[in-house]
Amino acid sequence: MSRVAFYTLGCKVNQYETDAMTELFKEAGYEIADFHEPADIYIINTCTVTNIADRKSRQMLHRAKKQNPDSLVVAVGCYAQEAGEALTKDAAVDLVVGNNRKKDIVQIVAEASGHPGAPAADVIDMSRAQPYETLTIHEVSEHTRAYIKIQDGCNQFCSYCIIPYARGRVRSRQPEDILEEVRGLAKKGFKEIVLTGIHISSYGLDFEGVEYDKKHSNGGHLIRLIEQLDQVDGLERIRLSSLEPRLMTEEFVKRLAAVRRICPHFHLSLQSGCDTVLARMNRKYTTDEYLHVCGLLRTYFDRPALTTDVIVGFPQETEEEFAATVDFVQKVGFAQMHVFKYSRRQGTRAAAMEGQVDEQVKNERSAALLAVDERLREAYIKENSDKILEVLAEEIVEAGGQKYMVGHSKEYIKVGLEDCKIHENQVVSGKMTGDRRKDFVICERMD
C-alpha cells in the first residue's frame, strides 16, 4: 500500500481541496501519512498570492524531496498553475498539477507513478471558461467547524492580485450539492460551517439568467443558499468568509438578519481606507460606500464583529494616504484587522507601477496599524463585556499553570472557560470576566 502525505499552503479553499483530495486517495486504498513522516508520495497544495507564497511553496516541495529522495513529489494548486511546465525543471518536483485538475488527482498520480522518468505537467488554460470542479468532503481536518467551498474563480482583477489568472473566472457550485454535503457533516456532529470560496460574493453570477449589476454584486443566489442552509437539522452556526462590500445592500442585510443561525461576524474586504489608493488597487467601492455598509450591518445586528484586511505600502502610497487609512479604520471601529505589507507579485499591474514603497516604510506603517488594531480589539471586547456569548468549545489550552477549554463566540471572540469538563464541539453560554490569558479572554460559564 502506497503512503501519501499532504501539505497545504494558503487559503481555506486550499484546505478544503486538500481534505477532498485526501478522501479521494483514501477511497482508492492509499494510506494517509503525516507530512513529516516517510511517504511514497508527497502532495503540496501550493499558494501564489504573493512572491513570498511562491517561495514557501518551493521550500515545501524541496523539504518533501529531502525527506524521501525516492518519493513522488507533486505540486498542485495556484503556484503550480502559474509556474506550469517551468516548475518541472525543479529537481525536487516530479509532477505538476494545476487548478481544476484536483478531482482527477488519483488517476494522474497513478499514471505518473507507473511511468517514472522526466517530470510531467498537467496544467490547463484557466483563462478559458471552465466548469466548476466537483469536489466533496465527508470529513474535515478541523474538529469543530467545517469550511464549505461554494465557488471558485474571481472576476474582480484587483491590480495587486494574481488569483483571477491562477483560478480563472467565477464558477459556482450547485446549491443541492452544497446542501447535501452540509447535511452529511451535520449528521456527523459538526455544528458550525464557514462558507468559503475565492470570491463568495460572486456566488451564482455564472448561473443562467443572472445579469451582472456593475454597481452591486447580485447576492440573490447567495442569500437563498444561506436561507436553505438555515433549515439543515443539527447545524447551529453559519459563518461567512470574506465578503465584498458591494454585496451588502439593505435588502441582502435585512434577509441575512432573519437567518437565525447566522454568525454576526462579517469580514469585509477593505485593503485601504483612502479612495485614491482604492482606485489604484482597482477596488470597486469608495470609503463612503464602505462606511454605509458598516452602518447597515450595525442597524440590523446587535454589535456585530466587523473584521477586515488592510494592505500597507501599496505603490505610491503617501504619508497622507496612509494617515487617511488610519483615520478610516478607527472611524469604522473594526473588531479585528489583518494587516499585510504590500508584496510585489510579478504578473500583476501593481508590480509594474512606479513609486514602489521602501520596505522600511512598509514595516513602520504595518507596526503603526497593528497598534491601532490592538486598541480596536480591546474596545470591541469591552463593548461586549455585558453580552452573554455562545461559545463553541474547540480545544483545551494550558496557560499560567491552569487548563482552559478555548473556543470562539458567534462574534469570533476567542475565549477560555475554566470548566474543562465541557466537551469539544459543545456550545455553551458564557460571560467575559475581563481577565486575559495568552490570546483569549476568560469567560465564566452561564448555563
Side-chain angles (χ1 to χ4, degrees):
M1 180 186 295
S2 294
R3 289 165 56 84
V4 57
F6 293 85
Y7 192 91
T8 307
L9 296 110
C11 63
K12 294 299 182 182
V13 173
N14 265 13
Q15 186 57 62
Y16 175 94
E17 292 171 346
T18 295
D19 288 342
M21 287 188 290
T22 301
E23 287 195 22
L24 291 174
F25 276 95
K26 281 183 180 178
E27 291 167 3
Y30 288 77
E31 180 183 348
I32 307 302
D34 184 270
F35 179 77
H36 302 289
E37 298 174 353
D40 305 297
I41 303 162
Y42 291 96
I43 297 179
I44 317 300
N45 199 354
T46 63
C47 176
T48 193
V49 69
T50 64
N51 288 337
I52 294 171
D54 285 358
R55 185 170 68 248
K56 288 181 179 178
S57 296
R58 290 191 296 270
Q59 287 172 348
M60 296 314 298
L61 290 163
H62 281 262
R63 184 176 299 179
K65 182 59 80 173
K66 186 176 180 180
Q67 289 179 175
N68 181 4
D70 296 325
S71 65
L72 182 78
V73 175
V74 186
V76 304
C78 291
Y79 174 58
Q81 176 69 38
E82 281 301 289
E85 289 190 5
L87 191 53
T88 62
K89 297 176 183 178
D90 190 318
V93 180
D94 301 298
L95 180 62
V96 179
V97 180
N99 284 326
N100 248 46
R101 298 293 289 128
K102 297 184 184 78
K103 68 181 185 304
D104 302 313
I105 188 70
V106 175
Q107 179 184 345
I108 294 170
V109 166
E111 290 176 356
S113 299
H115 300 86
D122 192 324
V123 179
I124 60 177
D125 184 358
M126 293 303 295
S127 67
R128 298 177 182 273
Q130 300 292 339
Y132 181 84
E133 182 179 32
T134 303
L135 291 168
T136 303
I137 60 170
H138 301 90
E139 300 285 347
V140 297
S141 52
E142 290 202 24
H143 297 297
T144 54
R145 66 174 53 83
Y147 288 85
I148 308 297
K149 181 183 172 186
I150 65 170
Q151 67 83 227
D152 206 337
C154 182
N155 298 348
Q156 300 301 299
F157 291 94
C158 298
S159 63
Y160 53 82
C161 187
I162 199 71
I163 297 304
Y165 304 96
R167 285 276 179 174
R169 304 298 85 79
V170 168
R171 307 178 301 286
S172 304
R173 187 178 180 185
Q174 290 299 317
E176 191 50 49
D177 289 345
I178 300 169
L179 288 162
E180 183 179 353
E181 183 173 85
V182 172
R183 290 185 192 111
L185 290 167
K187 285 180 180 177
K188 292 188 175 182
F190 287 93
K191 291 183 168 59
E192 179 178 317
I193 60 165
V194 184
L195 300 186
T196 191
I198 300 303
H199 192 258
I200 69 168
S201 297
S202 295
Y203 178 77
L205 285 181
D206 54 320
F207 289 161
E208 189 175 351
V210 174
E211 293 185 8
Y212 182 67
D213 181 342
K214 291 184 178 179
K215 182 67 175 175
H216 299 99
S217 293
N218 188 327
H221 284 283
L222 180 59
I223 191 62
R224 281 195 291 276
L225 173 64
I226 294 168
E227 289 167 344
Q228 288 175 296
L229 289 167
D230 196 37
Q231 306 303 314
V232 173
D233 291 338
L235 191 63
E236 295 192 26
R237 293 182 174 187
I238 302 170
R239 197 180 297 277
L240 306 176
S241 62
S242 185
L243 295 166
E244 181 79 15
R246 292 182 302 151
L247 173 75
M248 312 299 275
T249 62
E250 184 161 10
E251 178 188 0
F252 184 94
V253 174
K254 186 176 181 180
R255 287 176 66 177
L256 196 61
V259 176
R260 56 195 174 93
R261 293 168 178 167
I262 199 72
C263 290
H265 165 219
F266 304 103
H267 190 84
L268 301 173
S269 301
L270 176 62
Q271 309 306 357
S272 175
C274 176
D275 287 336
T276 51
V277 178
L278 288 174
R280 292 201 299 276
M281 289 178 165
N282 197 33
R283 303 292 289 178
K284 299 171 177 63
Y285 50 83
T286 65
T287 52
D288 283 346
E289 290 168 339
Y290 190 102
L291 196 62
H292 174 69
V293 169
C294 295
L296 282 177
L297 289 166
R298 286 178 168 138
T299 297
Y300 285 94
F301 290 89
D302 176 26
R303 291 169 282 180
L306 305 183
T307 62
T308 198
D309 302 318
V310 181
I311 296 172
V312 299
F314 189 75
Q316 303 169 29
E317 184 185 59
T318 64
E319 288 295 338
E320 291 76 18
E321 288 175 327
F322 175 67
T325 290
V326 173
D327 289 343
F328 185 75
V329 299
Q330 293 178 111
K331 187 175 183 180
V332 172
F334 289 108
Q336 184 178 0
M337 296 187 296
H338 298 294
V339 179
F340 300 93
K341 291 177 284 188
Y342 169 72
S343 176
R344 200 170 188 173
R345 181 59 177 86
Q346 297 304 319
T348 64
R349 280 186 290 154
M353 287 181 179
E354 295 181 356
Q356 298 289 325
V357 177
D358 182 77
E359 286 300 318
Q360 181 59 35
V361 174
K362 292 180 192 177
N363 291 336
E364 292 169 358
R365 291 177 184 175
S366 174
L369 205 56
L370 286 170
V372 173
D373 172 55
E374 188 62 30
R375 293 196 297 271
L376 292 176
R377 287 194 200 198
E378 291 296 330
Y380 184 71
I381 289 171
K382 186 176 181 180
E383 179 188 345
N384 285 272
S385 59
D386 64 332
K387 205 174 189 180
I388 302 298
L389 303 177
E390 292 180 22
V391 181
L392 177 62
E394 297 170 26
E395 60 177 340
I396 293 177
V397 173
E398 187 170 337
Q402 186 170 347
K403 290 183 178 180
Y404 299 89
M405 177 55 82
V406 173
H408 286 85
S409 72
K410 294 180 77 171
E411 298 81 3
Y412 214 63
I413 298 173
K414 190 174 183 179
V415 302
L417 297 135
E418 295 181 0
D419 184 0
C420 285
K421 293 179 181 179
I422 301 167
H423 298 297
E424 184 182 275
N425 205 36
Q426 183 179 348
V427 177
V428 297
S429 297
K431 187 174 181 180
M432 288 183 287
T433 66
D435 294 333
R436 299 292 295 268
R437 298 289 187 278
K438 285 189 174 180
D439 58 345
F440 57 86
V441 183
I442 303 300
C443 208
E444 179 183 356
R445 186 172 178 179
M446 302 298 290
D447 58 0

